[in-house]
Amino acid sequence: MALKKLWLDLDTGVDDAQALMLALADPGVHILGISCVHGNTPLQNVLQNTLRVLRVCGRTDIPVYKGCQRPLLSPKQHASDYHGKDGLGDVPDPDPPSLDLLQKKKAVPAMIKAIKDNPGQVTLVATAPLTNLAVAVQLDPTLPEKLKALFLMGGNVNSRGNTTVCGEFNFVADTEAAFVVLERYTCPTFIAAWEFSCRSSLPWSFCDQWLSQDTVKARFMKQITAFSRGTAQSEDYLSTQSTAGHGFNSCDCYAMAAALDESLMLENEEVAVSVELEGAHTRGMMVVDYMEQLKKQHKVFLMKTFDLDKFKGMLMRSLQ
């Protein structure tokens, strides 16, 4: 059977690392490349973190590319309060991988070429601010029609934010890019929104089981997850993030897992969406057009329910 071809666009913090390790553990996948972008942590950290995860998994053969280091127009921001200043829980790396492992070619041209060379075969998974994707479609407007599918982690469906009053981090971190992507990418598009991931969170007891596996990968994940777990279980976080649920929520893993195995998506909702660009409180909010007033032909698939038992199995295998 032919391998499923993926291109990954990451801002590697802890949940991106978890998602990347899901993909690396799937024997049916060929990762054509990884484009890095600003987001959870500054770009230089994202590059280092991505190489670090690949090294732990013995996969530094996968090409990693340097992408956009700032948003199109939005103020630059990061998520160090949740992921740690370095994006991976501030766990020291005594022997960091050399940045010489990075490809010389820039991320956006590399992404465009990979998709062009494999028309209709590449699934693009983006778990980060969408700057690289927005720049790519500006350079090659035909790019979306060459994609097999696009899987995104981002946006929100009930106007409940995790970064601003009404905005989810990836869409707030580059609001114009999110708008461009939702307008211009007309390939089959699947979105794991913030509230969906919250509703689908897993028990902390499963997290303990997942991290207690006696492997190098599990010990690494336990180390880098400690900071964000402490934050997620703190009273201050739970009091301000009422939508976050009271369990283990690795947001990016839902988009990645669905891209790897679409059968995990038990229920999706097909609807047109956009992004609010101007509101004082609603800038970055995903607009869900149930009344069809936007008159958009292209509709996305919003994930609604997930096969959590199968998802747990994928997570367990990712650390074995």
Side-chain angles (χ1 to χ4, degrees):
M1 189 190 315
L3 296 178
K4 177 177 285 189
K5 296 178 180 179
L6 296 187
W7 185 280
L8 310 183
D9 192 74
L10 310 176
D11 60 337
T12 306
V14 175
D15 51 354
D16 300 80
Q18 293 161 351
L20 174 55
M21 291 173 81
L22 275 180
L24 294 172
D26 190 325
V29 163
H30 177 204
I31 301 174
L32 298 175
I34 301 172
S35 49
C36 295
V37 69
H38 71 94
N40 286 322
T41 189
L43 179 61
Q44 198 71 2
N45 290 344
V46 173
L47 296 166
Q48 196 77 62
N49 294 348
T50 304
L51 293 173
R52 185 177 180 184
V53 174
L54 292 176
R55 185 185 61 184
V56 168
C57 297
R59 291 303 310 274
T60 53
D61 58 298
I62 295 174
V64 178
Y65 300 88
K66 182 177 181 179
C68 298
Q69 63 181 349
R70 60 177 58 88
L72 298 180
L73 292 174
S74 299
K76 187 186 289 189
Q77 61 181 295
H78 304 296
S80 59
D81 57 332
Y82 190 83
H83 292 274
K85 292 179 181 178
D86 71 351
L88 289 185
D90 295 327
V91 177
D93 186 353
D95 184 25
S98 171
L99 293 179
D100 290 340
L101 290 169
L102 296 172
Q103 302 297 305
K104 303 305 179 189
K105 192 168 189 174
K106 296 300 184 184
V108 172
M111 180 195 302
I112 292 172
K113 185 177 188 305
I115 294 168
K116 182 179 179 181
D117 290 348
N118 299 274
Q121 300 176 59
V122 179
T123 297
L124 173 55
V125 185
T127 60
L130 296 171
T131 316
N132 285 340
L133 275 66
V135 173
V137 77
Q138 291 295 103
L139 293 176
D140 182 0
T142 69
L143 188 69
E145 66 194 48
K146 299 186 182 85
L147 280 169
K148 180 179 180 180
L150 171 62
F151 285 79
L152 303 176
M153 188 283 134
N156 50 355
V157 295
N158 298 323
S159 75
R160 295 181 176 181
N162 64 3
T163 301
T164 60
V165 174
C166 296
E168 176 275 331
F169 176 81
N170 285 341
F171 279 26
V172 170
D174 196 336
T175 302
E176 280 71 22
F179 180 86
V180 168
V181 169
L182 293 184
E183 290 295 314
R184 305 280 296 278
Y185 280 73
T186 53
C187 55
T189 302
F190 300 84
I191 299 179
W194 168 241
E195 297 97 334
F196 159 76
S197 71
C198 295
R199 290 194 310 272
S200 305
S201 61
L202 302 174
W204 286 115
S205 58
F206 168 78
C207 186
D208 291 334
Q209 179 187 5
W210 180 53
L211 298 176
S212 67
Q213 298 179 88
D214 186 19
T215 66
V216 171
K217 294 177 186 177
R219 287 189 285 274
F220 169 73
M221 185 56 65
K222 186 173 184 177
Q223 286 184 312
I224 67 169
T225 303
F227 184 93
S228 57
R229 179 174 182 170
T231 301
Q233 292 182 301
S234 69
E235 291 184 9
D236 287 346
Y237 182 82
L238 291 172
S239 66
T240 59
Q241 297 286 352
S242 59
T243 61
H246 296 276
F248 169 55
N249 177 11
S250 182
C251 306
D252 294 343
C253 282
Y254 297 95
M256 185 68 76
L260 297 172
D261 182 354
E262 294 189 15
S263 72
L264 272 78
M265 298 182 289
L266 300 179
E267 181 188 4
N268 291 331
E269 184 172 32
E270 190 174 9
V271 63
V273 295
S274 187
V275 179
E276 174 58 46
L277 296 176
E278 298 180 6
H281 299 295
T282 58
R283 175 175 160 81
M285 183 182 76
M286 187 163 69
V287 177
V288 184
D289 185 24
Y290 291 117
M291 296 179 67
E292 299 192 352
Q293 293 193 7
L294 297 178
K295 309 301 181 186
K296 293 180 68 172
Q297 289 189 339
H298 176 60
K299 297 183 178 181
V300 305
F301 296 94
L302 298 177
M303 299 181 202
K304 299 287 285 184
T305 58
F306 223 56
D307 187 333
L308 294 180
D309 287 334
K310 187 180 288 188
F311 182 51
K312 289 177 184 177
M314 291 176 72
L315 285 168
M316 291 296 291
R317 289 190 295 275
S318 73
L319 299 187
Q320 289 172 358

